[in-house]
């Protein structure tokens, strides 16, 4: 197991479309486990492979609380095959957009088809925060961040702050 560095926006790799995996083999299973370790340490409730610089269609999620047993999802090639007509708004954050949060509207429920860690095709019906989170993760695989769902004004304010924070972190002029 290994923790992987998480990319922070703006980064061209976060804007790229990731490629499907041909098969969930040992290498993809290792990636899934490293991503889960990285996500738990962050901490976060979901992580997509492009956030660790790997442009493959792999995501992991775990919405269990601190006082609950872990219940990880490991998904390759996740596809949304149905969405509800009704929407839900959630105050989203992202490990690649640190310290910024904004309300995003998405379909309230969805059905996701994916390959599990044993290369077996599965489907889940997601509601509530799981629905929001799995849609957020699949967006990452298409180069889309939650800030892309905001007005360009709000998005640009956040992006400018992220650029500034990166420059300061790189040893720029102290505030
Ligand atoms: O940890 C995370 N929390 C979160 C909260 C609301 C909506 C989406 C998320 S996903 C995020 C981790 C992350 O950046 N996944 O890509
Ligand atoms: Ni994210």
């Amino acid at each position: 197991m290994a923790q992987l560095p998480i990319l922070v926006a703006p980064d061209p790799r976060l804007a790229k479309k990731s490629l499907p995996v041909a098969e969930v083999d040992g290498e993809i299973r290792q990636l899934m486990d490293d991503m889960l370790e990285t996500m738990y340490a962050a901490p976060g409730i979901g992580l997509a492979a492009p956030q660790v610089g790997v442009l493959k269609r792999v995501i992991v999620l775990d919405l269990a609380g601190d006082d609950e047993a872990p219940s990880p999802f490991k998904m390759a090639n996740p596809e949304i095959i149905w969405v509800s007509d009704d929407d839900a708004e959630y105050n989203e954050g992202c490990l690649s957009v640190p310290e910024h949060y904004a309300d995003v509207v998405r379909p309230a429920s969805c059905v996701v088809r994916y390959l599990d860690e044993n290369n077996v095709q599965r489907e889940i019906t997601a509601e509530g925060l799981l629905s929001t989170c799995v849609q957020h993760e699949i967006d990452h695989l298409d180069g889309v961040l939650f800030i892309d769902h905001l007005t360009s004004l709000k998005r640009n304010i956040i992006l400018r702050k992220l650029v500034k924070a990166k420059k300061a972190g790189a040893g720029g002029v102290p505030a």
Side-chain angles (χ1 to χ4, degrees):
M1 296 267 277
Q3 267 178 249
L4 308 167
I6 297 176
L7 301 180
V8 172
D11 185 299
R13 289 167 286 181
L14 292 172
K16 293 209 165 111
K17 206 170 154 74
S18 291
L19 290 173
V21 306
E23 182 195 355
V24 179
D25 56 12
E27 188 187 323
I28 297 295
R29 263 191 299 279
Q30 182 68 53
L31 172 64
M32 288 167 160
D33 287 342
D34 290 346
M35 285 171 58
L36 270 176
E37 186 181 342
T38 303
M39 184 193 82
Y40 288 134
I45 57 173
L47 192 69
Q51 293 182 275
V52 294
V54 177
L55 296 181
K56 293 181 181 172
R57 301 188 78 84
V58 173
I59 64 174
V60 295
L61 306 110
D62 191 337
L63 276 73
D66 289 343
D67 52 349
E68 293 175 289
S71 71
F73 285 100
K74 308 174 187 185
M75 303 185 180
N77 301 345
E79 278 182 87
I80 294 173
I81 59 169
W82 176 84
V83 293
S84 60
D85 287 332
D86 57 316
D87 290 332
E89 188 175 55
Y90 202 89
N91 192 248
E92 297 196 18
C94 181
L95 295 170
S96 297
V97 186
E99 291 167 44
H100 294 275
Y101 301 87
D103 291 338
V104 177
V105 175
R106 301 180 186 271
S109 320
C110 61
V111 174
V112 182
R113 179 181 293 159
Y114 64 97
L115 295 175
D116 73 6
E117 68 273 26
N118 297 312
N119 201 49
V120 174
Q121 186 177 291
R122 292 181 183 277
E123 281 177 22
I124 56 156
T125 301
E127 295 175 343
L129 183 53
L130 179 60
S131 177
T132 292
C133 191
V134 76
Q135 292 175 64
H136 172 119
E137 301 315 333
I138 293 172
D139 266 359
H140 276 298
L141 304 182
D142 293 317
V144 174
L145 301 176
F146 81 89
I147 55 173
D148 295 318
H149 292 278
L150 309 178
T151 63
S152 60
L153 178 66
K154 285 186 185 170
R155 176 167 60 252
N156 287 332
I157 288 170
I158 292 173
L159 283 171
R160 272 195 292 272
K161 287 181 179 165
L162 291 171
V163 169
K164 234 180 157 178
K166 270 195 192 185
K167 284 184 178 152
V173 183

